[in-house]
Amino acid sequence: MEWYIVLPLIFLALIILFALGIPIIFSFLIIDIVGVYLLWGGSSGLQQLPLNMFKSISLFSLLAIPMFLFMGEIMFRTGIGTQVFNALGKWMGKIPGRLSILAVGSGTLFAVLCGSSVATTSLLGSLLVPEMDKHRYNSAMTLGPITGSAGLAILIPPTALGVLMATLAGVPVGTFLVAIVVPGLILAVLFLTYIIVRCFLQPDLAPSYEVETYSIKEKITDFFKYIFPLGFIVFLVLGVIILGIATPTQSAVLGAAGTTVMAIAYRKFTWKLLWESLTGTARMTVMILMIMVGSTTFSQILSFTGVTQGLVQTVSTLDLTPIMLIILIQLVLIVLGCFLEPMSIMMMTLPVVMPIVSAMGIDPIWFCVIFLINMQMATMTPPFGMDLFAIKAAAPHYSMGQIYKAILPFIGLNLVLIVLIILFPSLATWLTGFMKA
Protein backbone atom coordinates (compact mmCIF):
# COMPACT_ATOMS: atom_id res chain seq x y z
CA MET A 1 0.00 0.00 0.00
CA GLU A 2 1.34 3.42 -0.95
CA TRP A 3 2.47 5.74 1.85
CA TYR A 4 0.06 8.52 0.86
CA ILE A 5 -2.81 6.08 1.46
CA VAL A 6 -1.39 4.68 4.71
CA LEU A 7 -0.90 8.12 6.33
CA PRO A 8 -4.52 9.35 5.96
CA LEU A 9 -5.82 5.95 7.10
CA ILE A 10 -3.71 6.09 10.26
CA PHE A 11 -4.82 9.60 11.16
CA LEU A 12 -8.45 8.79 10.32
CA ALA A 13 -8.27 5.80 12.68
CA LEU A 14 -6.82 8.05 15.40
CA ILE A 15 -9.62 10.59 14.96
CA ILE A 16 -12.24 7.83 15.24
CA LEU A 17 -10.63 6.48 18.41
CA PHE A 18 -10.46 9.99 19.90
CA ALA A 19 -14.12 10.55 19.04
CA LEU A 20 -15.04 7.29 20.83
CA GLY A 21 -13.54 8.72 24.00
CA ILE A 22 -10.59 6.33 24.19
CA PRO A 23 -7.65 7.93 26.04
CA ILE A 24 -4.91 9.29 23.80
CA ILE A 25 -2.28 6.84 25.03
CA PHE A 26 -4.45 3.77 24.43
CA SER A 27 -5.54 5.11 21.04
CA PHE A 28 -1.92 5.15 19.92
CA LEU A 29 -1.27 1.70 21.40
CA ILE A 30 -4.25 0.28 19.48
CA ILE A 31 -2.92 1.80 16.25
CA ASP A 32 0.54 0.42 17.03
CA ILE A 33 -0.71 -3.11 17.73
CA VAL A 34 -2.90 -3.23 14.61
CA GLY A 35 -0.17 -1.69 12.48
CA VAL A 36 2.48 -4.10 13.76
CA TYR A 37 0.21 -7.09 13.16
CA LEU A 38 -0.66 -6.05 9.61
CA LEU A 39 2.74 -4.76 8.54
CA TRP A 40 5.32 -6.72 10.54
CA GLY A 41 4.29 -10.28 9.76
CA GLY A 42 1.35 -11.02 12.04
CA SER A 43 2.20 -12.87 15.26
CA SER A 44 5.95 -12.52 14.73
CA GLY A 45 5.50 -8.76 14.65
CA LEU A 46 3.53 -8.88 17.89
CA GLN A 47 6.38 -10.84 19.48
CA GLN A 48 8.81 -8.11 18.42
CA LEU A 49 6.58 -5.33 19.77
CA PRO A 50 7.38 -5.82 23.50
CA LEU A 51 11.10 -5.76 22.72
CA ASN A 52 10.69 -2.44 20.88
CA MET A 53 8.62 -1.08 23.77
CA PHE A 54 11.25 -2.00 26.33
CA LYS A 55 14.01 -0.51 24.20
CA SER A 56 12.11 2.78 23.75
CA ILE A 57 11.94 3.47 27.50
CA SER A 58 15.21 1.92 28.70
CA LEU A 59 17.04 5.22 28.17
CA PHE A 60 19.17 6.77 30.90
CA SER A 61 18.09 10.27 29.84
CA LEU A 62 14.46 9.49 30.73
CA LEU A 63 15.39 9.26 34.42
CA ALA A 64 15.29 13.07 34.45
CA ILE A 65 11.50 12.99 33.97
CA PRO A 66 10.52 11.34 37.30
CA MET A 67 13.12 13.47 39.08
CA PHE A 68 11.61 16.72 37.73
CA LEU A 69 8.11 15.46 38.54
CA PHE A 70 9.24 14.61 42.08
CA MET A 71 10.60 18.15 42.48
CA GLY A 72 7.21 19.60 41.58
CA GLU A 73 5.36 17.19 43.88
CA ILE A 74 7.55 18.09 46.86
CA MET A 75 7.33 21.83 46.22
CA PHE A 76 3.56 21.99 45.91
CA ARG A 77 2.69 19.52 48.66
CA THR A 78 4.88 21.43 51.14
CA GLY A 79 3.23 24.75 50.30
CA ILE A 80 6.58 26.35 49.46
CA GLY A 81 4.97 27.86 46.37
CA THR A 82 2.58 29.90 48.52
CA GLN A 83 5.45 31.17 50.65
CA VAL A 84 7.36 32.23 47.53
CA PHE A 85 4.25 34.05 46.31
CA ASN A 86 3.87 35.95 49.59
CA ALA A 87 7.58 36.86 49.67
CA LEU A 88 7.44 38.21 46.13
CA GLY A 89 4.30 40.23 46.89
CA LYS A 90 6.06 42.11 49.70
CA TRP A 91 8.49 43.63 47.20
CA MET A 92 5.73 45.10 45.03
CA GLY A 93 4.40 48.47 46.07
CA LYS A 94 1.42 50.47 44.87
CA ILE A 95 1.77 50.17 41.10
CA PRO A 96 -0.80 49.89 38.29
CA GLY A 97 -1.70 46.30 37.57
CA ARG A 98 0.10 45.16 40.73
CA LEU A 99 -1.68 41.81 41.03
CA SER A 100 -1.40 41.08 37.30
CA ILE A 101 2.33 41.78 37.44
CA LEU A 102 2.53 39.60 40.55
CA ALA A 103 0.86 36.82 38.57
CA VAL A 104 3.57 36.93 35.90
CA GLY A 105 6.38 37.16 38.47
CA SER A 106 4.95 34.28 40.47
CA GLY A 107 4.36 32.23 37.32
CA THR A 108 8.00 32.69 36.34
CA LEU A 109 9.22 31.62 39.78
CA PHE A 110 6.76 28.75 40.00
CA ALA A 111 8.13 27.49 36.67
CA VAL A 112 11.25 26.56 38.64
CA LEU A 113 9.10 24.72 41.18
CA CYS A 114 6.88 22.72 38.87
CA GLY A 115 6.80 21.82 35.18
CA SER A 116 3.00 21.63 35.03
CA SER A 117 1.10 24.58 33.59
CA VAL A 118 -2.22 23.14 34.83
CA ALA A 119 -0.95 22.90 38.41
CA THR A 120 0.48 26.43 38.23
CA THR A 121 -2.80 27.78 36.81
CA SER A 122 -4.75 26.17 39.64
CA LEU A 123 -2.36 27.50 42.30
CA LEU A 124 -2.19 31.06 40.93
CA GLY A 125 -5.94 31.08 40.37
CA SER A 126 -6.71 30.05 43.94
CA LEU A 127 -4.25 32.62 45.33
CA LEU A 128 -4.95 35.62 43.09
CA VAL A 129 -8.49 35.50 41.71
CA PRO A 130 -10.22 36.28 45.05
CA GLU A 131 -7.84 39.18 45.66
CA MET A 132 -8.29 40.50 42.12
CA ASP A 133 -12.07 40.29 42.43
CA LYS A 134 -11.90 42.11 45.73
CA HIS A 135 -10.08 45.04 44.11
CA ARG A 136 -12.40 45.05 41.05
CA TYR A 137 -9.88 43.90 38.45
CA ASN A 138 -11.29 43.45 34.97
CA SER A 139 -11.37 39.86 33.71
CA ALA A 140 -8.78 40.79 31.06
CA MET A 141 -6.26 41.58 33.81
CA THR A 142 -7.35 38.69 36.01
CA LEU A 143 -7.73 35.63 33.82
CA GLY A 144 -5.22 36.49 31.08
CA PRO A 145 -2.09 37.10 33.19
CA ILE A 146 -2.73 34.05 35.39
CA THR A 147 -3.36 31.62 32.55
CA GLY A 148 -0.68 33.08 30.27
CA SER A 149 2.10 33.12 32.86
CA ALA A 150 1.24 29.62 34.10
CA GLY A 151 2.36 28.32 30.71
CA LEU A 152 5.89 29.45 31.52
CA ALA A 153 6.16 26.21 33.53
CA ILE A 154 6.50 24.42 30.18
CA LEU A 155 9.22 26.74 28.86
CA ILE A 156 11.43 27.27 31.89
CA PRO A 157 13.30 24.22 33.27
CA PRO A 158 12.79 21.95 35.03
CA THR A 159 10.13 20.83 32.58
CA ALA A 160 9.22 17.18 32.11
CA LEU A 161 7.49 18.02 28.82
CA GLY A 162 10.75 19.55 27.58
CA VAL A 163 12.68 16.37 28.45
CA LEU A 164 10.03 14.25 26.76
CA MET A 165 10.09 16.39 23.65
CA ALA A 166 13.88 16.35 23.39
CA THR A 167 13.86 12.56 23.73
CA LEU A 168 11.13 12.09 21.12
CA ALA A 169 12.87 14.51 18.75
CA GLY A 170 16.27 12.90 19.25
CA VAL A 171 18.06 16.08 20.38
CA PRO A 172 20.43 16.39 23.39
CA VAL A 173 18.30 16.88 26.50
CA GLY A 174 20.81 19.11 28.31
CA THR A 175 21.34 21.40 25.34
CA PHE A 176 17.60 21.72 24.81
CA LEU A 177 16.88 22.54 28.47
CA VAL A 178 19.48 25.30 28.36
CA ALA A 179 18.17 26.60 25.01
CA ILE A 180 14.61 27.19 26.26
CA VAL A 181 15.63 29.36 29.22
CA VAL A 182 16.11 32.63 27.30
CA PRO A 183 12.87 32.29 25.25
CA GLY A 184 10.96 31.59 28.47
CA LEU A 185 12.34 34.72 30.13
CA ILE A 186 11.67 36.81 27.01
CA LEU A 187 8.06 35.66 27.06
CA ALA A 188 7.76 36.71 30.71
CA VAL A 189 9.13 40.16 29.79
CA LEU A 190 6.63 40.43 26.92
CA PHE A 191 3.80 39.63 29.34
CA LEU A 192 5.01 42.23 31.84
CA THR A 193 5.42 44.88 29.15
CA TYR A 194 1.91 44.26 27.83
CA ILE A 195 0.36 44.45 31.31
CA ILE A 196 2.21 47.65 32.27
CA VAL A 197 1.40 49.43 28.99
CA ARG A 198 -2.25 48.40 28.96
CA CYS A 199 -2.79 49.29 32.63
CA PHE A 200 -1.16 52.67 31.99
CA LEU A 201 -3.49 53.31 29.04
CA GLN A 202 -6.57 51.82 30.72
CA PRO A 203 -6.13 52.18 34.50
CA ASP A 204 -9.74 51.13 35.13
CA LEU A 205 -8.80 47.55 34.14
CA ALA A 206 -6.66 47.19 37.27
CA PRO A 207 -7.50 49.88 39.85
CA SER A 208 -4.81 50.93 42.29
CA TYR A 209 -5.40 50.22 45.98
CA GLU A 210 -3.68 50.66 49.30
CA VAL A 211 -1.21 47.90 50.09
CA GLU A 212 0.40 46.88 53.32
CA THR A 213 3.93 48.17 53.71
CA TYR A 214 6.81 46.05 54.95
CA SER A 215 10.18 46.96 56.34
CA ILE A 216 13.32 46.46 54.28
CA LYS A 217 14.53 43.97 56.87
CA GLU A 218 11.40 41.85 56.48
CA LYS A 219 11.60 41.97 52.68
CA ILE A 220 15.26 40.94 52.65
CA THR A 221 14.65 38.21 55.21
CA ASP A 222 11.84 36.68 53.15
CA PHE A 223 13.87 37.05 49.96
CA PHE A 224 16.76 35.02 51.31
CA LYS A 225 14.44 32.60 53.09
CA TYR A 226 12.05 31.78 50.21
CA ILE A 227 13.21 33.24 46.87
CA PHE A 228 17.00 32.95 46.99
CA PRO A 229 16.92 29.14 47.58
CA LEU A 230 15.22 28.83 44.20
CA GLY A 231 18.39 30.24 42.66
CA PHE A 232 20.28 27.36 44.20
CA ILE A 233 17.77 24.88 42.74
CA VAL A 234 18.20 26.52 39.32
CA PHE A 235 21.96 26.09 39.64
CA LEU A 236 21.53 22.41 40.53
CA VAL A 237 19.28 21.87 37.50
CA LEU A 238 20.87 24.14 34.87
CA GLY A 239 24.11 25.55 36.20
CA VAL A 240 25.80 22.18 36.54
CA ILE A 241 24.81 21.33 32.94
CA ILE A 242 26.19 24.61 31.53
CA LEU A 243 29.42 24.19 33.51
CA GLY A 244 29.79 20.61 32.31
CA ILE A 245 29.76 19.27 35.88
CA ALA A 246 26.80 16.90 35.43
CA THR A 247 24.59 15.36 32.78
CA PRO A 248 20.90 16.32 32.56
CA THR A 249 19.95 13.14 34.39
CA GLN A 250 22.45 13.79 37.17
CA SER A 251 21.31 17.41 37.46
CA ALA A 252 17.69 16.24 37.78
CA VAL A 253 18.70 13.99 40.67
CA LEU A 254 20.56 16.92 42.27
CA GLY A 255 17.48 19.12 41.85
CA ALA A 256 15.23 16.49 43.47
CA ALA A 257 17.69 16.14 46.35
CA GLY A 258 17.87 19.93 46.71
CA THR A 259 14.08 20.33 46.93
CA THR A 260 13.91 17.56 49.52
CA VAL A 261 16.55 19.33 51.61
CA MET A 262 14.53 22.57 51.28
CA ALA A 263 11.41 20.80 52.52
CA ILE A 264 13.34 19.48 55.52
CA ALA A 265 14.85 22.90 56.23
CA TYR A 266 11.39 24.51 56.17
CA ARG A 267 10.15 21.74 58.51
CA LYS A 268 7.52 20.73 55.99
CA PHE A 269 8.83 17.24 55.33
CA THR A 270 6.85 14.24 56.61
CA TRP A 271 6.78 10.57 55.69
CA LYS A 272 3.19 11.00 54.52
CA LEU A 273 4.26 13.84 52.24
CA LEU A 274 7.09 11.68 50.86
CA TRP A 275 4.71 8.82 50.13
CA GLU A 276 2.17 11.07 48.42
CA SER A 277 4.94 12.71 46.36
CA LEU A 278 6.34 9.34 45.30
CA THR A 279 2.94 7.93 44.31
CA GLY A 280 2.07 11.12 42.42
CA THR A 281 5.40 10.95 40.62
CA ALA A 282 4.88 7.28 39.78
CA ARG A 283 1.45 7.90 38.24
CA MET A 284 2.75 10.70 36.00
CA THR A 285 5.90 8.78 35.09
CA VAL A 286 3.94 5.72 33.99
CA MET A 287 1.74 7.90 31.79
CA ILE A 288 4.74 9.58 30.17
CA LEU A 289 6.59 6.29 29.61
CA MET A 290 3.47 4.88 27.96
CA ILE A 291 3.52 7.91 25.69
CA MET A 292 7.14 7.13 24.85
CA VAL A 293 6.23 3.53 24.05
CA GLY A 294 3.33 4.53 21.81
CA SER A 295 5.22 7.31 20.05
CA THR A 296 8.35 5.28 19.33
CA THR A 297 6.43 2.38 17.82
CA PHE A 298 4.26 4.82 15.88
CA SER A 299 7.41 6.38 14.44
CA GLN A 300 8.75 2.95 13.44
CA ILE A 301 5.51 2.08 11.68
CA LEU A 302 5.61 5.35 9.72
CA SER A 303 9.19 4.63 8.71
CA PHE A 304 8.50 0.98 7.80
CA THR A 305 5.55 1.88 5.55
CA GLY A 306 7.61 4.52 3.74
CA VAL A 307 5.56 7.44 5.06
CA THR A 308 8.58 9.23 6.50
CA GLN A 309 10.66 8.86 3.34
CA GLY A 310 7.70 9.76 1.14
CA LEU A 311 7.01 12.95 3.05
CA VAL A 312 10.66 13.99 2.92
CA GLN A 313 10.77 13.44 -0.84
CA THR A 314 7.47 15.28 -1.35
CA VAL A 315 8.58 18.29 0.67
CA SER A 316 11.89 18.42 -1.21
CA THR A 317 10.03 18.64 -4.53
CA LEU A 318 7.89 21.59 -3.31
CA ASP A 319 10.92 23.88 -3.38
CA LEU A 320 10.08 25.35 0.02
CA THR A 321 12.68 27.42 1.84
CA PRO A 322 13.42 26.39 5.45
CA ILE A 323 11.59 29.46 6.76
CA MET A 324 8.52 28.69 4.66
CA LEU A 325 8.55 25.12 5.97
CA ILE A 326 8.85 26.31 9.58
CA ILE A 327 5.90 28.68 9.14
CA LEU A 328 3.80 25.96 7.51
CA ILE A 329 4.51 23.55 10.37
CA GLN A 330 3.67 26.19 12.97
CA LEU A 331 0.32 26.89 11.32
CA VAL A 332 -0.52 23.19 11.42
CA LEU A 333 0.52 22.98 15.09
CA ILE A 334 -1.61 26.01 15.99
CA VAL A 335 -4.68 24.37 14.45
CA LEU A 336 -3.97 21.09 16.26
CA GLY A 337 -3.47 23.02 19.49
CA CYS A 338 -7.07 24.19 19.35
CA PHE A 339 -8.30 20.62 19.78
CA LEU A 340 -5.53 18.45 21.26
CA GLU A 341 -3.22 18.67 24.27
CA PRO A 342 0.57 18.99 23.78
CA MET A 343 1.53 15.35 24.40
CA SER A 344 -0.91 14.12 21.77
CA ILE A 345 0.34 16.67 19.24
CA MET A 346 3.95 15.70 19.91
CA MET A 347 3.19 12.00 19.46
CA MET A 348 1.39 12.65 16.18
CA THR A 349 3.75 15.15 14.59
CA LEU A 350 7.33 14.74 15.82
CA PRO A 351 7.87 11.36 14.09
CA VAL A 352 6.68 13.02 10.87
CA VAL A 353 8.35 16.44 10.98
CA MET A 354 11.77 15.69 12.51
CA PRO A 355 13.04 13.70 9.48
CA ILE A 356 11.87 16.56 7.24
CA VAL A 357 13.62 19.12 9.45
CA SER A 358 16.85 17.12 9.29
CA ALA A 359 16.60 16.71 5.52
CA MET A 360 16.13 20.47 5.09
CA GLY A 361 19.27 21.20 7.14
CA ILE A 362 17.36 23.06 9.89
CA ASP A 363 18.97 23.27 13.33
CA PRO A 364 16.94 20.72 15.35
CA ILE A 365 17.49 22.52 18.68
CA TRP A 366 16.24 25.81 17.23
CA PHE A 367 13.26 24.09 15.65
CA CYS A 368 12.37 22.25 18.86
CA VAL A 369 12.45 25.51 20.84
CA ILE A 370 9.87 26.99 18.45
CA PHE A 371 7.89 23.76 18.60
CA LEU A 372 7.80 23.83 22.43
CA ILE A 373 6.59 27.46 22.43
CA ASN A 374 3.76 26.31 20.19
CA MET A 375 3.00 23.49 22.63
CA GLN A 376 2.93 26.00 25.47
CA MET A 377 0.46 28.03 23.43
CA ALA A 378 -1.66 24.90 22.88
CA THR A 379 -2.35 24.68 26.61
CA MET A 380 -4.30 27.95 26.45
CA THR A 381 -5.70 27.94 22.90
CA PRO A 382 -9.51 27.97 22.71
CA PRO A 383 -11.65 26.00 22.77
CA PHE A 384 -9.98 23.01 24.46
CA GLY A 385 -6.75 24.32 26.03
CA MET A 386 -6.10 22.49 29.33
CA ASP A 387 -5.20 25.66 31.22
CA LEU A 388 -8.49 27.27 30.21
CA PHE A 389 -10.41 24.60 32.09
CA ALA A 390 -8.00 24.85 35.02
CA ILE A 391 -8.66 28.59 35.41
CA LYS A 392 -12.38 27.94 35.00
CA ALA A 393 -12.21 25.51 37.94
CA ALA A 394 -10.30 28.09 40.01
CA ALA A 395 -12.65 30.93 39.01
CA PRO A 396 -16.04 29.30 38.30
CA HIS A 397 -17.93 32.62 38.37
CA TYR A 398 -16.29 33.65 35.08
CA SER A 399 -17.73 32.38 31.80
CA MET A 400 -15.67 30.50 29.21
CA GLY A 401 -16.32 33.42 26.86
CA GLN A 402 -14.61 35.80 29.30
CA ILE A 403 -11.71 33.37 29.63
CA TYR A 404 -11.30 33.04 25.85
CA LYS A 405 -11.34 36.82 25.40
CA ALA A 406 -8.84 37.41 28.21
CA ILE A 407 -6.30 34.89 26.91
CA LEU A 408 -6.19 36.08 23.27
CA PRO A 409 -3.58 38.87 23.85
CA PHE A 410 -1.29 36.37 25.56
CA ILE A 411 -1.64 33.93 22.69
CA GLY A 412 -0.65 36.84 20.45
CA LEU A 413 2.47 37.44 22.57
CA ASN A 414 3.44 33.78 22.14
CA LEU A 415 3.18 34.31 18.38
CA VAL A 416 5.38 37.40 18.71
CA LEU A 417 8.00 35.26 20.50
CA ILE A 418 7.88 32.65 17.73
CA VAL A 419 8.42 35.37 15.12
CA LEU A 420 11.34 36.82 17.12
CA ILE A 421 13.07 33.45 17.33
CA ILE A 422 12.53 32.80 13.62
CA LEU A 423 14.03 36.22 12.80
CA PHE A 424 16.79 35.99 15.43
CA PRO A 425 17.75 32.31 15.88
CA SER A 426 20.49 33.26 18.37
CA LEU A 427 17.76 33.87 20.97
CA ALA A 428 17.40 30.10 21.15
CA THR A 429 21.06 29.18 20.78
CA TRP A 430 23.00 31.93 22.57
CA LEU A 431 22.98 30.37 26.04
CA THR A 432 23.96 26.93 24.73
CA GLY A 433 27.24 28.46 23.55
CA PHE A 434 28.36 28.72 27.17
CA MET A 435 27.98 24.99 27.78
CA LYS A 436 31.16 23.08 28.46
CA ALA A 437 31.65 19.63 27.03
Side-chain angles (χ1 to χ4, degrees), residues 34-56:
V34 173
V36 164
Y37 183 81
L38 295 177
L39 301 171
W40 289 6
S43 58
S44 60
L46 293 177
Q47 292 173 359
Q48 180 65 29
L49 183 60
L51 299 177
N52 286 7
M53 290 180 171
F54 177 78
K55 185 178 180 180
S56 67

Side-chain angles (χ1 to χ4, degrees), residues 61-72 160 252 256 281-282 285 288-289:
S61 61
L62 292 180
L63 183 59
I65 292 177
M67 292 296 101
F68 285 156
L69 294 174
F70 181 72
M71 287 176 60
T281 300
T285 301
I288 291 175
L289 291 182

Side-chain angles (χ1 to χ4, degrees), residues 53 58 90 112 130 171 188 230 247 250 271 283 286 297 316 342 346 380:
M53 290 180 171
S58 57
K90 291 180 180 180
V112 181
V171 299
L230 294 183
T247 65
Q250 293 167 339
W271 292 113
R283 284 193 295 268
V286 169
T297 306
S316 63
M346 288 163 54
M380 58 182 182

Side-chain angles (χ1 to χ4, degrees), residues 29-288:
L29 287 177
I30 291 172
I31 294 295
D32 291 342
I33 292 172
V34 173
V36 164
Y37 183 81
L38 295 177
L39 301 171
W40 289 6
S43 58
S44 60
L46 293 177
Q47 292 173 359
Q48 180 65 29
L49 183 60
L51 299 177
N52 286 7
M53 290 180 171
F54 177 78
K55 185 178 180 180
S56 67
I57 59 176
S58 57
L59 301 173
F60 186 65
S61 61
L62 292 180
L63 183 59
I65 292 177
M67 292 296 101
F68 285 156
L69 294 174
F70 181 72
M71 287 176 60
E73 289 283 337
I74 288 287
M75 286 289 190
F76 275 93
R77 292 182 187 277
T78 55
I80 294 175
T82 303
Q83 294 171 330
V84 171
F85 172 83
N86 292 332
L88 185 63
K90 291 180 180 180
W91 283 90
M92 303 184 68
K94 186 179 177 181
I95 56 176
R98 177 182 184 272
L99 293 174
S100 300
I101 294 172
L102 182 59
V104 176
S106 299
T108 305
L109 286 177
F110 289 173
V112 181
L113 304 179
C114 174
S116 169
S117 63
V118 173
T120 305
T121 302
S122 300
L123 178 61
L124 288 177
S126 62
L127 290 174
L128 280 171
V129 169
E131 192 71 10
M132 289 173 156
D133 289 344
K134 175 183 175 182
H135 296 290
R136 304 187 307 278
Y137 269 52
N138 186 279
S139 59
M141 285 294 113
T142 299
L143 306 173
I146 292 175
T147 311
S149 60
L152 294 170
I154 291 177
L155 285 180
I156 298 177
T159 163
L161 190 67
V163 175
L164 176 62
M165 180 174 177
T167 306
L168 290 174
V171 299
V173 174
T175 304
F176 183 63
L177 290 178
V178 172
I180 60 179
V181 172
V182 172
L185 295 177
I186 291 175
L187 187 59
V189 171
L190 288 175
F191 288 168
L192 288 172
T193 304
Y194 165 75
I195 291 170
I196 292 171
V197 171
R198 188 165 182 191
C199 288
F200 177 78
L201 296 176
Q202 297 176 281
D204 57 307
L205 295 180
S208 297
Y209 61 94
E210 293 298 325
V211 296
E212 185 178 353
T213 57
Y214 299 91
S215 66
I216 293 296
K217 180 181 179 181
E218 187 174 358
K219 291 179 181 179
I220 293 176
T221 299
D222 277 10
F223 174 83
F224 282 102
K225 188 176 181 180
Y226 298 115
I227 299 177
F228 180 76
L230 294 183
F232 180 65
I233 298 298
V234 171
F235 174 77
L236 290 178
V237 174
L238 283 178
V240 293
I241 297 177
I242 294 175
L243 295 176
I245 299 174
T247 65
T249 303
Q250 293 167 339
S251 72
V253 175
L254 288 174
T259 55
T260 304
V261 170
M262 281 181 60
I264 295 172
Y266 290 138
R267 298 183 180 180
K268 300 287 186 179
F269 185 87
T270 64
W271 292 113
K272 179 183 178 181
L273 178 140
L274 178 62
W275 174 253
E276 291 175 346
S277 298
L278 288 173
T279 53
T281 300
R283 284 193 295 268
M284 288 296 297
T285 301
V286 169
M287 183 187 73
I288 291 175

Side-chain angles (χ1 to χ4, degrees), residues 13-14 16-19 21-32:
L14 281 173
I16 293 173
L17 292 173
F18 292 166
I22 299 175
I24 301 295
I25 297 171
F26 294 109
S27 297
F28 273 90
L29 287 177
I30 291 172
I31 294 295
D32 291 342

